[in-house]
Amino acid sequence: MALGIEQIDDFVNSIHQKFAGEDMLAAQDISLPLQEYKYASRLFSGNLKKDTMSTSQCKWKVKVNTNDNFQVVGLYHRDSSSRVNVLSEGSLKWGLTTNNYHYDIDEEIFQTGGRQIYDYLESLERDLMTSFYTGMEDLMFGPGPSSPTQSPFPPVSLLWWITATDDSTTENNSEEGFDGYAPVGWGSVGVGGIDPTVYDQWRNRTFPYTNVDRDDFVEKVINSMDLCQFEPPVKGPDIVDQTRQDWELLTTHSRLAACRRLLQLGNDNIGDDMAKYSGTVYIRGVPLNWVPAWTNAASVNARTDGIILGVNWATFKAYYAAGRQMRKRKAFQHPEMSNVRVRCMDDSVQMVCFNRRGNFRGYCTQTVTETA
């Protein structure tokens, strides 16, 4: 039975409730260029914790100092005491995104039965979600906003938080150490409003490497994993637990392939530092995963620097503006086409790193050609 024109919009709005559990229209999707979309599989539904925030901006507190009045004293010692500001506030503008599809209520499909209409609209809904995840993939694995004044302001990225610049002007010029300053274009504005030139502890670890071998690449990864773990003597009410580790090593396919070859050499000196299980390479028991968005030439974020990112997901959290997490709106009439309806989905998210020094980033000093 065909739907009346006045019923179509309500049908679209309640599509999932009306036909829950029925098979969807099958179509083989070959439209997407990347082998995997990490935002959908890892960030959105995997390691990244999520919460909502009812504020005009995404804000959080960071303890940046300690009142140090500890003294060795003798008889008749005169006490001295000083007081410093121990808290600073981090903030980010919300990264607002929107997506949509549209249909004409006079399309022939709406004169057919409910099953066919459902299949058609479900394919549009599914495509809406696919478009959202591919767009977020570009944002999450890209460089992030180019300046504090960029408008519209996007969600920030992993590479925005974990940098390899020591001057906020040129990428990949950091030395080995905690040398990851504010992203390129941000300078004294800092990262999340906190300046890493003022607070040394607000810098991620970095290292350059030349060869994927035991003494260069592997050793620097292992050292970074050791040195990025900090435990305070007194546990406080942290936003995220500083003692918890949830490591993942993200890189390009060429680096993973080079590590596989390194393992195949059977070098006994590698010992327990590297291992391979079912085709996956592990360093210190942490999987080394390649990111298609950094490898595939079809990606806007394809890289030639052999990046290796040590992400401790326990230091990250995603915040959504209250009421705007993948919010779908009822289809509305297009202002210039009376028979056309538009169905929108809005999102507002920022990914916050509460402990930058708990993460690291390495880069190759030579240009790396990827083959994917």
Side-chain angles (χ1 to χ4, degrees):
M1 178 179 176
L3 292 179
I5 289 177
E6 70 283 354
Q7 298 174 291
I8 294 174
D9 294 341
D10 287 336
F11 181 81
V12 173
N13 196 47
S14 61
I15 180 173
H16 296 292
Q17 288 74 33
K18 287 202 174 202
F19 288 92
E22 293 193 25
D23 293 335
M24 296 184 296
L25 178 66
Q28 194 68 36
D29 188 355
I30 60 170
S31 64
L32 304 178
L34 302 186
Q35 290 84 355
E36 182 185 0
Y37 287 79
K38 292 282 186 178
Y39 181 79
S41 65
R42 178 66 67 188
L43 276 70
F44 184 79
S45 59
N47 299 50
L48 194 61
K49 290 187 175 181
K50 305 165 190 69
D51 206 345
T52 58
M53 189 178 291
S54 300
T55 53
S56 59
Q57 291 188 326
C58 181
K59 297 182 178 182
W60 65 96
K61 296 290 186 181
V62 178
K63 187 173 184 293
V64 294
N65 273 318
T66 298
N67 286 303
D68 186 7
N69 294 313
F70 179 82
Q71 295 173 290
V72 176
V73 300
L75 297 176
Y76 302 104
H77 176 80
R78 186 180 297 275
D79 290 337
S80 65
S81 182
S82 63
R83 179 72 179 267
V84 298
N85 292 325
V86 299
L87 292 178
S88 182
E89 183 176 84
S91 65
L92 279 171
K93 291 181 283 188
W94 288 114
L96 309 180
T97 64
T98 189
N99 197 10
N100 71 79
Y101 67 85
H102 60 269
Y103 57 90
D104 192 311
I105 59 176
D106 283 335
E107 291 182 56
E108 289 185 10
I109 189 68
F110 294 119
Q111 307 306 313
T112 61
R115 177 71 250 178
Q116 292 90 332
I117 296 171
Y118 169 77
D119 287 342
Y120 173 66
L121 292 173
E122 178 61 21
S123 69
L124 293 178
E125 290 279 329
R126 188 167 60 247
D127 195 61
L128 179 76
M129 298 305 300
T130 298
S131 179
F132 169 75
Y133 285 125
T134 56
M136 290 301 296
E137 188 83 1
D138 289 341
L139 293 176
M140 288 295 105
F141 292 97
S146 58
S147 75
T149 59
Q150 181 175 332
S151 182
F153 194 80
V156 298
S157 66
L158 278 174
L159 299 185
W160 187 88
W161 279 111
I162 310 173
T163 68
T165 175
D166 64 9
D167 58 10
S168 301
T169 301
T170 305
E171 194 177 57
N172 291 341
N173 60 1
S174 295
E175 300 300 323
E176 185 172 9
F178 289 92
D179 208 28
Y181 285 74
V184 171
W186 283 74
S188 61
V189 175
V191 193
I194 302 172
D195 189 353
T197 64
V198 176
Y199 302 109
D200 296 351
Q201 299 92 328
W202 196 238
R203 303 174 196 164
N204 61 266
R205 189 169 180 81
T206 59
F207 63 82
Y209 71 91
T210 302
N211 301 306
V212 180
D213 58 25
R214 174 62 183 82
D215 294 329
D216 192 5
F217 181 87
V218 177
E219 183 66 21
K220 288 175 179 176
V221 170
I222 292 171
N223 286 343
S224 294
M225 294 178 74
D226 286 342
L227 297 170
C228 285
Q229 296 184 179
F230 295 86
E231 283 195 36
V234 179
K235 290 187 178 181
D238 291 324
I239 300 174
V240 295
D241 186 355
Q242 293 192 58
T243 63
R244 193 173 75 86
Q245 305 297 321
D246 186 13
W247 284 108
E248 184 176 17
L249 301 174
L250 299 175
T251 189
T252 61
H253 190 270
S254 69
R255 307 298 87 181
L256 177 61
C259 285
R260 286 173 179 162
R261 290 194 295 271
L262 186 59
L263 282 171
Q264 289 170 353
L265 292 176
N267 189 340
D268 292 338
N269 292 329
I270 293 177
D272 295 330
D273 294 331
M274 291 186 71
K276 184 169 72 172
Y277 306 104
S278 302
T280 301
V281 172
Y282 290 78
I283 300 179
R284 277 282 179 88
V286 176
L288 182 66
N289 296 321
W290 70 285
V291 178
W294 293 339
T295 302
N296 197 311
S299 171
V300 297
N301 295 316
R303 304 188 67 88
T304 59
D305 61 351
I307 188 171
I308 168 71
L309 207 67
V311 183
N312 180 6
W313 289 111
T315 67
F316 281 89
K317 198 171 184 179
Y319 284 98
Y320 292 91
R324 211 177 189 275
Q325 180 182 356
M326 299 177 70
R327 179 186 66 195
K328 290 185 179 180
R329 286 183 274 154
K330 184 176 180 180
F332 59 89
Q333 181 178 315
H334 192 284
E336 297 178 353
M337 294 177 282
S338 60
N339 288 338
V340 174
R341 302 292 185 263
V342 183
R343 167 90 150 161
C344 292
M345 185 180 76
D346 305 318
D347 194 57
S348 177
V349 66
Q350 281 298 4
M351 182 171 58
V352 179
C353 179
F354 295 102
N355 184 12
R356 293 189 71 225
R357 64 179 180 170
N359 302 271
F360 64 87
R361 177 170 167 179
Y363 64 91
C364 188
T365 56
Q366 301 174 346
T367 300
V368 176
T369 301
E370 304 290 339
T371 58

